[in-house]
Amino acid sequence: MAVGRLAVLLPVFVDLGLAFVAFLATFKLIRSISSKFVKAGLHGRDLNKTSKEPVPEALGVIAGAVYLVTMFVFIPVPFLVHLWTQDGPDPHEKVRWVFLCLG
């Protein structure tokens, strides 16, 4: 029964941790890179404001990149329980396949 709980709770806690780290990374990267987007000409103007200050565009690229990295890191996590236990019909084949796909 303990292995079943571990198999369910481990991915949840790892996912929560990765989500928090991804949020912090996205927040810090957007704050540090947005000025570089303006210098590179990737900016627009907010038409609903009176100031003509440029607004950086295409910052979704940063969030998308952080999302992809986070998902690639999370993919093997549900299979980690199978590496520690011997439950089921040879789960190592599935784990090897997942790592081959990631490589």
Side-chain angles (χ1 to χ4, degrees):
M1 192 67 155
V3 173
R5 286 185 183 166
L6 180 65
V8 171
L9 292 179
L10 178 71
V12 172
F13 288 126
V14 171
D15 191 27
L16 287 173
L18 284 174
F20 183 70
V21 170
F23 165 75
L24 290 178
T26 304
F27 186 75
K28 297 254 183 203
L29 283 171
I30 285 177
R31 290 181 69 107
S32 65
I33 295 178
S34 62
S35 62
K36 293 178 178 143
F37 273 53
V38 172
K39 288 179 185 174
L42 296 170
H43 61 85
R45 192 172 51 111
D46 193 350
L47 298 176
N48 292 321
K49 296 196 176 163
T50 57
S51 67
K52 304 297 181 196
E53 185 176 317
V55 177
E57 300 282 345
L59 290 175
V61 172
I62 297 168
V66 170
Y67 173 76
L68 283 175
V69 169
T70 305
M71 291 310 299
F72 284 133
V73 168
F74 180 73
I75 286 172
V77 170
F79 298 99
L80 290 177
V81 175
H82 296 297
L83 288 175
W84 297 326
T85 63
Q86 295 298 324
D87 294 343
D90 197 20
H92 301 290
E93 286 299 319
K94 293 178 187 173
V95 173
R96 281 190 222 130
W97 185 80
V98 168
F99 283 119
L100 282 172
C101 288
L102 289 175

